[in-house]
Coordinates of all heavy atoms in Angstrom, one line a residue:
G1 N 16.0 14.2 10.2 CA 15.4 13.2 9.6 C 14.4 13.4 8.6 O 13.9 14.6 8.5
S2 N 14.2 12.5 7.8 CA 13.0 12.6 6.8 C 12.5 11.2 6.5 O 13.2 10.2 6.6 CB 13.5 13.3 5.5 OG 14.6 12.4 4.9
I3 N 11.4 11.1 6.0 CA 10.7 9.8 5.6 C 11.4 9.3 4.4 O 11.4 10.1 3.3 CB 9.2 9.9 5.4 CG1 8.5 10.4 6.8 CG2 8.6 8.7 5.0 CD1 8.7 9.6 7.9
T4 N 11.9 8.1 4.3 CA 12.5 7.6 3.1 C 11.8 6.3 2.4 O 12.2 5.9 1.4 CB 14.1 7.1 3.5 OG1 14.1 6.3 4.6 CG2 14.8 8.5 3.9
G5 N 10.9 5.7 3.2 CA 10.2 4.6 2.8 C 8.8 4.4 3.3 O 8.6 4.7 4.5
Y6 N 7.9 3.7 2.5 CA 6.6 3.5 2.9 C 6.3 2.0 2.7 O 6.9 1.4 1.7 CB 5.6 4.3 2.1 CG 5.7 5.8 2.2 CD1 6.8 6.4 1.6 CD2 5.0 6.5 3.1 CE1 6.9 7.9 1.7 CE2 5.1 7.9 3.2 CZ 6.2 8.5 2.5 OH 6.2 9.9 2.7
L7 N 5.5 1.4 3.5 CA 5.1 0.0 3.4 C 3.6 -0.1 3.7 O 3.2 0.0 5.0 CB 6.0 -1.0 4.2 CG 5.5 -2.4 3.9 CD1 5.7 -2.9 2.6 CD2 6.3 -3.4 4.9
W8 N 2.7 -0.4 2.7 CA 1.3 -0.5 3.0 C 1.1 -2.0 3.0 O 1.6 -2.8 2.1 CB 0.4 0.1 1.9 CG 0.5 1.5 1.8 CD1 1.4 2.4 1.1 CD2 -0.4 2.6 2.5 NE1 1.1 3.6 1.3 CE2 0.0 3.8 2.1 CE3 -1.4 2.2 3.3 CZ2 -0.8 4.9 2.6 CZ3 -2.2 3.4 3.7 CH2 -1.9 4.6 3.3
T9 N 0.3 -2.5 3.8 CA -0.1 -4.0 3.9 C -1.7 -4.0 4.1 O -2.2 -3.3 4.9 CB 0.6 -4.6 5.2 OG1 2.0 -4.5 5.1 CG2 0.2 -6.0 5.2
Q10 N -2.3 -4.8 3.3 CA -3.7 -5.1 3.4 C -3.9 -6.0 4.6 O -3.4 -7.2 4.5 CB -4.4 -5.7 2.2 CG -5.8 -5.6 2.3 CD -6.5 -6.0 1.0 OE1 -5.8 -6.2 0.0 NE2 -7.8 -6.2 1.1
E11 N -4.6 -5.7 5.6 CA -4.8 -6.6 6.8 C -6.1 -7.3 6.7 O -6.2 -8.3 7.3 CB -4.8 -5.6 8.0 CG -3.6 -4.7 8.3 CD -2.3 -5.6 8.6 OE1 -2.5 -6.7 8.9 OE2 -1.2 -5.0 8.5
E12 N -7.2 -6.8 6.2 CA -8.4 -7.4 6.1 C -9.1 -7.1 4.8 O -8.9 -6.1 4.3 CB -9.4 -7.0 7.2 CG -8.9 -7.5 8.6 CD -9.8 -6.8 9.7 OE1 -11.0 -6.7 9.4 OE2 -9.3 -6.7 10.9
G13 N -10.1 -7.9 4.4 CA -10.9 -7.9 3.3 C -10.7 -8.4 2.1 O -9.5 -9.2 2.0
T14 N -11.5 -8.4 1.0 CA -11.2 -8.9 -0.2 C -9.9 -8.4 -0.8 O -9.7 -7.2 -0.9 CB -12.5 -8.5 -1.2 OG1 -13.7 -9.0 -0.6 CG2 -12.2 -9.3 -2.5
P15 N -9.0 -9.3 -1.2 CA -7.7 -8.8 -1.7 C -7.8 -7.9 -2.9 O -8.6 -8.2 -3.9 CB -7.1 -10.1 -2.1 CG -7.7 -11.2 -1.3 CD -9.1 -10.7 -1.1
V16 N -7.1 -6.8 -2.8 CA -6.9 -5.9 -4.0 C -5.5 -5.7 -4.4 O -4.6 -6.0 -3.6 CB -7.6 -4.6 -3.7 CG1 -9.0 -4.7 -3.5 CG2 -6.9 -3.9 -2.4
W17 N -5.3 -5.4 -5.6 CA -3.9 -5.3 -6.1 C -3.4 -3.6 -6.0 O -4.2 -2.8 -6.2 CB -3.7 -5.6 -7.6 CG -2.2 -5.4 -7.9 CD1 -1.3 -6.5 -7.8 CD2 -1.6 -4.3 -8.4 NE1 -0.1 -6.1 -8.2 CE2 -0.1 -4.7 -8.7 CE3 -1.9 -3.0 -8.7 CZ2 0.8 -3.9 -9.1 CZ3 -1.0 -2.1 -9.1 CH2 0.4 -2.6 -9.4
F18 N -2.3 -3.5 -5.3 CA -1.7 -2.1 -5.1 C -0.2 -2.1 -5.1 O 0.4 -3.3 -4.9 CB -2.3 -1.4 -3.9 CG -2.1 -2.1 -2.7 CD1 -0.9 -1.8 -1.8 CD2 -2.8 -3.3 -2.3 CE1 -0.7 -2.5 -0.6 CE2 -2.5 -4.0 -1.1 CZ -1.4 -3.6 -0.3
E19 N 0.5 -1.2 -5.2 CA 2.0 -1.0 -5.1 C 2.4 -0.6 -3.6 O 2.1 0.4 -3.2 CB 2.5 0.1 -6.0 CG 4.0 0.2 -6.0 CD 4.8 -1.0 -6.2 OE1 4.5 -1.7 -7.2 OE2 5.7 -1.4 -5.4
P20 N 2.8 -1.7 -2.9 CA 3.0 -1.5 -1.4 C 4.1 -0.6 -1.0 O 3.9 0.0 0.2 CB 3.3 -2.9 -0.9 CG 3.9 -3.6 -2.1 CD 3.2 -3.0 -3.3
E21 N 5.0 -0.2 -1.8 CA 6.1 0.6 -1.3 C 6.0 2.1 -1.7 O 7.0 2.8 -1.7 CB 7.3 0.0 -1.7 CG 7.6 -1.3 -0.9 CD 8.9 -1.9 -1.3 OE1 9.7 -1.4 -2.0 OE2 9.2 -3.2 -0.8
S22 N 4.7 2.5 -2.2 CA 4.6 3.9 -2.6 C 4.0 4.8 -1.5 O 3.2 4.2 -0.6 CB 3.6 3.9 -3.8 OG 4.1 3.3 -4.9
A23 N 4.3 5.9 -1.6 CA 3.7 6.9 -0.6 C 2.0 7.1 -0.7 O 1.3 7.1 0.2 CB 4.3 8.3 -0.7
V24 N 1.7 7.0 -2.0 CA 0.2 7.1 -2.3 C -0.1 5.8 -3.2 O 0.6 5.5 -4.1 CB 0.0 8.3 -3.2 CG1 -1.5 8.3 -3.5 CG2 0.3 9.6 -2.4
I25 N -1.1 5.0 -2.6 CA -1.4 3.9 -3.4 C -3.0 4.1 -3.8 O -3.7 4.8 -3.3 CB -1.4 2.6 -2.5 CG1 -2.4 2.7 -1.3 CG2 0.0 2.3 -2.1 CD1 -2.5 1.3 -0.6
S26 N -3.3 3.3 -4.9 CA -4.6 3.3 -5.5 C -4.9 2.0 -6.0 O -4.1 1.1 -6.3 CB -4.7 4.2 -6.8 OG -4.5 5.6 -6.4
F27 N -6.2 1.6 -5.9 CA -6.7 0.3 -6.3 C -8.2 0.4 -6.6 O -8.9 1.4 -6.2 CB -6.6 -0.8 -5.2 CG -7.2 -0.4 -3.8 CD1 -8.4 -0.7 -3.5 CD2 -6.4 0.4 -2.9 CE1 -9.0 -0.4 -2.3 CE2 -7.0 0.7 -1.6 CZ -8.3 0.3 -1.4
T28 N -8.7 -0.6 -7.2 CA -10.2 -0.5 -7.5 C -10.9 -1.4 -6.4 O -10.5 -2.4 -5.9 CB -10.3 -1.4 -8.9 OG1 -9.7 -0.6 -9.9 CG2 -11.9 -1.4 -9.3

C-alpha cells in the first residue's frame, strides 16, 4: 500500500484559506 490522498480540515479558529487536498498546506 501507499498514501494516495490527503484531506486537511480546519476544526477551530479564525478561518484561513488553504488547499485541503494537498500533502503540504500553507496559509497566512
